[in-house]
Amino acid sequence: MHKWTKVGEPHVLAEKFGRKFFRQNFENPINGAISDFYLFSMKDSSFVFPVTEHGKVITIRQYKQGCHDITHELPAGVCNPGEPHEVTAQRELLEETGYEAKEMIPMGVGWPDTRSTTIQRFFFLAKGCRKVKEPEQDPNEEIEVVLYDMLDWLDMIKANEVKELTTISITLQVILHLGIFRSVLFNL
């Protein structure tokens, strides 16, 4: 297996609101062919899997334009310039839900689409969360905070009620990290 080589500079086709759509040429290491790829980029973002002091998963519901639906998700947001990913996670948790975490555990990084985007999403498990204030919503947001038992949250994912793939991915990382269902998974 070989990595392809970027050829030349990216050509920006559209750019607005911190998002970019661009064309980048790559050289195939097997046959030397140069191919165009069209990629989407934006600032890094942090996603938080918050759990209250009493073991409830803190989620949010909000309308999302891309899927034109009201979604069940986890708190998340883009990093401000120079802002560490963990600070973004703490800020977004507080702004969107009004909760603060006693402990923030880094869970890794992922890409929402490894073929067509350069976006990196950083995952955090927030433990011991407690409500310290009312959420602050941006003018273009209407967010409802909803708490679930872990099994109810997993049932919602199983029933395809949770459709945001990064939310599903971080949920899987957290249940594996916490050892939930370990005996079931290893006895399949």
Side-chain angles (χ1 to χ4, degrees):
M1 188 62 56
H2 307 285
K3 285 179 75 170
W4 292 34
T5 304
K6 288 183 183 180
V7 178
E9 296 298 315
H11 176 72
V12 176
L13 303 169
E15 182 175 12
K16 196 166 187 173
F17 303 117
R19 292 163 166 80
K20 248 186 243 184
F21 181 61
F22 63 97
R23 182 183 70 231
Q24 176 69 60
N25 291 326
F26 287 85
E27 179 181 354
N28 183 323
I30 305 299
N31 61 21
I34 306 292
S35 298
D36 290 346
F37 285 84
Y38 294 85
L39 306 171
F40 176 71
S41 72
M42 62 183 280
K43 296 176 187 174
D44 289 346
S45 58
S46 293
F47 278 66
V48 185
F49 190 97
V51 181
T52 68
E53 297 170 308
H54 305 292
K56 301 280 188 182
V57 180
I58 305 165
T59 71
I60 59 175
R61 292 182 67 232
Q62 63 181 323
Y63 173 77
K64 290 295 182 93
Q65 292 77 9
C67 64
H68 187 52
D69 204 355
I70 296 171
T71 63
H72 295 274
E73 300 181 353
L74 297 171
V78 297
C79 301
N80 292 327
E83 182 177 50
H85 301 108
E86 184 172 333
V87 172
T88 302
Q90 292 167 340
R91 176 178 51 77
E92 290 293 335
L93 175 63
L94 184 60
E95 286 176 5
E96 292 185 353
T97 69
Y99 282 79
E100 273 185 348
K102 183 176 181 181
E103 181 181 10
M104 191 73 72
I105 301 169
M107 299 296 297
V109 62
W111 284 258
D113 180 350
T114 57
R115 171 71 70 188
S116 62
T117 185
T118 62
I119 300 166
Q120 291 185 325
R121 293 183 168 167
F122 292 80
F123 307 149
F124 294 88
L125 168 59
K127 294 172 74 176
C129 295
R130 61 183 180 83
K131 188 162 184 175
V132 295
K133 66 177 202 157
E134 290 303 311
E136 300 170 17
Q137 297 184 14
D138 292 337
N140 286 329
E141 289 181 325
E142 180 187 3
I143 296 175
E144 177 186 11
V145 178
V146 185
L147 277 57
Y148 292 102
D149 290 323
M150 176 67 88
L151 291 178
D152 292 337
W153 178 246
L154 294 175
D155 283 342
M156 289 176 62
I157 291 173
K158 181 180 175 185
N160 200 31
E161 294 174 34
V162 179
K163 299 179 189 315
E164 204 284 318
L165 293 178
T166 303
T167 291
I168 296 168
S169 176
I170 188 174
T171 299
L172 176 60
Q173 284 191 311
V174 166
I175 63 174
L176 293 173
H177 173 80
L178 296 175
I180 298 171
F181 305 122
R182 183 175 298 274
S183 62
V184 172
L185 291 174
F186 292 109
N187 288 320
L188 291 178

